Amino acid sequence: MADTARHPEPRYGNRPTMKDVAARAGVGLKTVSRVVNAEPGVTPDTERRVQEAIDALGFRRNDSARVLRKGRTASIGLVLEDLADPFYGPLNRAIEEVARAHGALLINGSSAEDPDREQELVLALCARRVDGLIIIPAGDDHRYLEPEIKAGVATVFVDRPAGQIDADAVLSDSFGGARSGTAHLVAHGHRRIGFIGDQPRIHTAAERLRGYRAAMAEAGLPVDDSWVSLGTTVPERVHEAVVAMLKAPEPVTAILTGNNRVTVTVVRALAAHERPVALVGFDDIELADLLDPGVTVIAQDAATLGRTAAERLFRRLDGAAEAPGQVVLPTRLIARGSGELPPPADQ
């Protein structure tokens, strides 16, 4: 009996080859190639024997040679901020569905909002010869992509535009959404409205702050520096910002949040506050309609963002030659109760 304890069977690196299939089926390599690639010139009986050998050996076609011949890998890359973020789930799924409809594989990775990691991921995908890229950028300088784009890698940016290069982009109306959310709070009687957002270098954070300031200016309302807090979305930082705004000599009576992660922390912080504070959040959040009051949000259509970007990418891959452009999708304010709370009577 073989000593399998001392000489275990190797688990990896022994994939069956076309040569193995040919030997088992008793045919030549060219015949196996014809069957694998669905080419004519093989009798039904021979095709059956080859297919039985393929099934018995667990053979899978190696596409590397086909890639070298055709110059296309039938794969696209997606680089986003964080795969765990609920906002990116529908976006990722929509891109994957479009890719599948075009017979392409989607490969994705998270940049963790780190520009260096974004560049590393993008170039690693290019090294694996993906046909196209969809990028939610972490950085603001994408000149490193110019050689890849010139070499034929179709590229579309989503949620935020590219930095320092001309490239297709599909965006939500961050400015308009924040402006309408702030105006909604003003319409319900609020004059001291706080804004808690993401890091100011991020395009969407800057646009949402700009929309908030625009609505306040249009209403003739001043913005105190203590009413604005930008930074990381870690709960500790956001919670401190909420507490500071509510304990100020002239506390805010309403808060506009810059994204879903900020909103979740703000909801938790307000639950411990003795007086009601109105809230409008940018991005919808899970179970927002089941809270009491429900959370009023400025909703983006993440699935449409992803689908639009993917369709634009495949148009490029099919030869569309128009100049790079931007598509800006509208947002939608969903009133559920938190954004309709009036300010306290003594405020």
Side-chain angles (χ1 to χ4, degrees), residues 8-322:
E9 288 293 319
R11 293 182 60 198
Y12 306 109
N14 287 323
R15 292 180 178 176
T17 65
M18 288 176 66
K19 186 176 180 181
D20 297 325
V21 174
R24 186 179 182 97
V27 298
L29 278 173
K30 183 60 178 176
T31 299
V32 176
S33 176
R34 285 173 175 161
V35 173
V36 168
N37 293 298
E39 295 174 357
V42 182
T43 66
D45 182 63
T46 300
E47 182 178 359
R48 177 185 55 76
R49 295 205 328 268
V50 171
Q51 192 59 56
E52 287 175 352
I54 288 171
D55 295 341
L57 294 171
F59 170 79
R60 293 292 180 271
R61 182 177 65 188
N62 184 343
D63 283 337
S64 298
R66 297 175 74 243
V67 168
L68 291 173
R69 289 198 308 271
K70 296 184 177 182
R72 293 280 291 267
T73 62
S75 63
I76 63 170
L78 168 62
V79 176
L80 40 72
E81 180 188 348
D82 183 359
L83 282 166
D85 188 324
F87 174 75
Y88 294 119
L91 184 145
N92 184 91
R93 178 65 179 272
I95 293 172
E96 188 173 24
E97 287 176 350
V98 174
R100 185 182 180 193
H102 285 81
L105 177 70
L106 177 66
I107 306 169
N108 54 31
S110 301
S111 69
E113 205 63 79
D114 180 343
D116 291 335
R117 184 168 173 178
E118 173 210 303
Q119 181 172 342
E120 179 186 336
L121 276 169
V122 167
L123 294 181
L125 288 165
C126 290
R128 284 157 178 77
R129 303 188 64 182
V130 294
D131 301 319
L133 291 164
I134 296 176
I135 303 171
I136 297 172
D140 55 9
D141 185 351
H142 294 92
R143 287 175 292 181
Y144 71 86
L145 258 173
E146 286 180 333
E148 309 300 335
I149 294 173
K150 287 178 180 176
V153 179
T155 306
V156 176
F157 287 78
V158 182
D159 192 42
R160 309 162 189 172
Q164 302 192 49
I165 64 170
D166 289 328
D168 289 318
V170 180
L171 317 173
S172 289
D173 185 5
S174 287
F175 170 81
R179 182 182 179 187
S180 68
T182 306
H184 186 76
L185 291 167
V186 171
H188 283 81
H190 296 278
R191 299 295 177 264
R192 298 197 300 273
I193 302 169
F195 176 79
I196 304 177
D198 210 329
Q199 301 174 73
R201 66 175 177 80
I202 298 172
H203 173 81
T204 48
E207 283 294 284
R208 291 165 195 176
L209 174 61
R210 192 168 71 88
Y212 157 80
R213 288 189 179 278
M216 294 291 280
E218 288 163 3
L221 300 174
V223 175
D224 191 279
D225 288 344
S226 66
W227 299 352
V228 176
S229 178
L230 300 180
T232 67
T233 59
V234 296
E236 295 77 14
R237 199 282 301 181
V238 176
H239 189 274
E240 288 175 5
V242 175
V243 171
M245 289 182 186
L246 297 180
K247 288 190 174 180
E250 290 191 315
V252 300
T253 63
I255 295 174
L256 177 74
T257 60
N259 64 34
N260 56 353
R261 286 161 295 176
V262 174
T263 303
V264 169
T265 301
V266 171
V267 167
R268 287 174 174 155
L270 294 183
H273 191 60
E274 66 275 9
R275 305 181 77 169
V277 177
L279 171 65
V280 173
F282 210 110
D283 296 335
D284 209 350
I285 59 173
E286 191 173 6
L287 305 181
D289 56 329
L290 299 182
L291 297 173
D292 186 18
V295 180
T296 296
V297 298
I298 304 152
Q300 303 183 75
D301 190 338
T304 299
L305 271 174
R307 188 178 309 109
T308 304
E311 288 171 349
R312 195 172 187 89
L313 182 75
F314 281 100
R315 281 203 305 276
R316 289 292 186 194
L317 291 172
D318 288 339
E322 69 264 21

